[in-house]
Amino acid sequence: MPGLDHEHQASASSQGAPGRRLLEATTADLRTWLAERGHPAYRARQVFHWVFYRRAESFELMSDLPLVLRRQLEADWAVFSTRIAYHGKSPDGTDKLLLECRDGRRIECVLMVEDQRHTVCISTQVGCGMGCVFCASGLKGVERNLTADEILEQVLRLRNLLAPGDSVTHIVVMGMGESLANLDNLISALDRLCSTAPGLGLSQRRVTISTVGLPEKIRKLAALNRQYHLAVSLHAPTEELRNELVPVNEKIGLSAVLEAADFYFQTTGRQVTYEYVLLHGVNDRLQDAQALARRLQGRKAHVNLIPYNPVAGLPFERPRAEAIRRFVMVLRDRGVSVTVRKTKGRAIDAACGQLRRRLDEPGPPPLVPGPVSPMTLDVP
Ligand code: SAH
């Protein structure tokens, strides 16, 4: 397993869609390119406006640009650098995209629609280096960090699936990868999405960054003075059990995670959510709930319980309904705020790493979603 602070260099090779990556360019970059070809600077804003607001996925569609400019753009740039390798749709209003990056690596992202809420769940790495024993994403380790534009592109591609006039209302960074191991690229992408120059103008408060709990990175994020909502994947109330389930805990320790989370709350004023995957007979027992309540008592914190979504080949099971109820009651009785995460994407392997894993296996991809177990994704 790689070191905790090791930031994997995102290297996007030149295979796949040709051209410079438009979402990697700033308005200034594009202006320089335009000036070199004798085009006015304001065209740069027009181009980004088309991509961010008018959902153009090719230059061809940018009808208010001169034809010659559109041809030149097409020759040099690519609006998107990934291609959709698979699009899964679930009857409950969940879409999952498997995107193939230029280097052939595949990442997953999910769109969940519920009433007026349009939540996208995005990935930050190819694979994951944290090795949580119940999770499909990390089974083969981490391959690389995603670039900022690859992160941004997931949101835009999912947004483009929404009905005209609908927009993304929430982003959860809960797909593949350890978000804070790729902090710089993630923040660069999120900041852009939360800006209007040009971006999607989303409020930072509607973005949740989920982390295994890397204390130094949590402090670094706190110091950036943003309003992103932090979710820390705790999964166990004691060092011993957390070491078993979340192996990186051996080097970090539960207290350091909680202290960093407290620091995040003090610095940003934003209450931290603790995620807790309930695994039948492993961490869903009465004593686990009691120990968790003791750990969190006195903290202004919220617990999000995630009933486990079984992963083929791994020995964990979903918790029984009775165990979930008991867990909630114990926490509530002790004054700890708690919710149980909703299940979305039942038929499409929406859990992090599951779809990629299934499609990476030999044999043709299952175009009709198979009988896989439900997936859970947070909608804070
Ligand atoms: N690396 C980040 C993001 C991981 S995905 C983190 O650790 O938080 C978001 C959440 O889903 C994490 O809490 C993760 O532990 C959890 N998760 C992973 N696999 C799961 C599964 N099969 N069923 C339910 N939750 C799962």
Side-chain angles (χ1 to χ4, degrees):
M1 183 182 310
L4 293 182
D5 282 325
H6 186 74
E7 297 230 351
H8 296 267
Q9 285 307 307
S11 70
S13 82
S14 56
Q15 293 164 31
R20 287 173 70 182
R21 303 150 79 107
L22 184 70
L23 296 177
E24 205 179 34
T26 60
T27 308
D29 294 335
L30 194 53
R31 281 197 184 127
T32 307
W33 181 90
L34 287 162
E36 284 163 5
R37 285 153 190 82
H39 296 288
Y42 70 85
R43 297 285 184 206
R45 276 197 77 82
Q46 268 184 302
V47 168
F48 283 120
H49 187 89
W50 270 104
V51 176
F52 279 93
Y53 304 110
R54 301 185 71 179
R55 306 186 182 193
E57 297 189 2
S58 77
F59 297 107
E60 185 63 44
L61 294 168
M62 303 183 182
S63 50
D64 53 2
L65 301 186
L67 198 60
V68 61
L69 172 55
R70 279 187 263 162
R71 296 275 174 272
Q72 286 171 322
L73 284 162
E74 260 161 23
D76 282 11
W77 299 87
V79 174
F80 286 155
S81 72
T82 66
R83 88 177 172 86
I84 298 176
Y86 177 77
H87 180 176
K89 272 174 173 294
S90 183
D92 66 5
T94 304
D95 285 74
K96 178 157 196 163
L97 294 180
L98 185 73
L99 299 179
E100 189 168 294
C101 301
R102 284 189 172 183
D103 62 3
R105 292 188 162 95
R106 290 165 159 204
I107 52 171
E108 305 177 4
C109 53
V110 182
L111 168 69
M112 291 161 285
V113 175
E114 206 176 359
D115 304 326
Q116 296 310 307
R117 235 175 147 115
H118 308 129
T119 303
V120 301
C121 174
I122 55 171
S123 297
T124 52
Q125 297 183 308
V126 184
C128 183
M130 298 299 111
C132 300
V133 295
F134 50 83
C135 178
S137 296
L139 288 172
K140 289 188 191 158
V142 61
E143 291 178 41
R144 70 167 169 89
N145 275 347
L146 296 184
T147 54
D149 62 302
E150 286 167 339
I151 297 173
L152 185 61
E153 187 163 323
Q154 295 172 62
V155 178
L156 292 182
R157 280 211 178 271
L158 291 168
R159 187 278 312 267
N160 293 356
L161 300 177
L162 287 168
D166 283 346
S167 51
V168 171
T169 60
H170 295 78
I171 297 177
V172 295
V173 188
M174 294 185 181
M176 286 166 54
E178 169 45 37
S179 324
L180 298 192
N182 190 13
L183 182 60
D184 294 347
N185 290 344
L186 174 62
I187 295 303
S188 152
L190 292 179
D191 281 356
R192 190 147 183 203
L193 288 162
C194 292
S195 85
T196 48
L200 294 186
L202 195 70
S203 158
Q204 291 183 349
R205 302 175 73 88
R206 289 179 171 202
V207 176
T208 299
I209 300 177
S210 179
T211 174
V212 74
L214 306 179
E216 265 178 52
K217 295 295 173 84
I218 292 176
R219 286 168 198 276
K220 188 172 167 192
L221 178 61
L224 292 178
N225 204 16
R226 306 291 200 277
Q227 281 289 296
Y228 297 124
H229 175 215
L230 185 71
V232 175
S233 297
L234 215 55
H235 305 327
T238 62
E239 293 293 2
E240 209 182 8
L241 190 53
R242 194 164 197 265
N243 287 347
E244 263 176 50
L245 300 178
V246 183
V248 293
N249 190 64
E250 278 176 38
K251 292 185 208 153
I252 300 170
L254 204 43
S255 311
V257 174
L258 293 171
E259 277 164 28
D262 289 345
F263 179 78
Y264 191 82
F265 175 52
Q266 286 151 17
T267 314
T268 62
R270 305 245 34 217
Q271 184 178 304
V272 172
T273 293
Y274 292 101
E275 295 166 277
Y276 193 106
V277 172
L278 288 170
L279 306 163
H280 170 64
V282 176
N283 66 352
D284 68 345
R285 302 158 304 176
L286 177 63
Q287 67 261 39
D288 300 316
Q290 290 166 335
L292 183 65
R294 273 197 301 279
R295 276 275 182 185
L296 297 181
Q297 251 167 10
R299 284 190 159 84
K300 200 169 171 341
H302 178 77
V303 173
N304 195 217
L305 298 173
I306 317 171
Y308 183 57
N309 180 36
V311 174
L314 297 183
F316 302 99
E317 289 173 35
R318 281 181 78 78
R320 308 293 179 252
E322 184 43 39
I324 303 177
R325 268 196 294 274
R326 182 179 58 199
F327 216 94
V328 169
M329 265 173 50
V330 170
L331 291 178
R332 282 211 179 123
D333 281 354
R334 288 157 179 77
V336 179
S337 149
V338 56
T339 47
V340 179
R341 189 178 291 183
K342 278 186 191 159
T343 295
K344 294 289 265 175
R346 173 171 286 272
I348 52 169
D349 288 332
C352 17
Q354 292 206 356
L355 176 68
R356 184 183 75 130
R357 184 165 169 241
R358 203 146 69 95
L359 297 190
D360 277 352
E361 279 160 11
L367 290 175
V368 179
V372 292
S373 24
M375 145 61 180
T376 55
L377 277 174
D378 199 8
V379 183

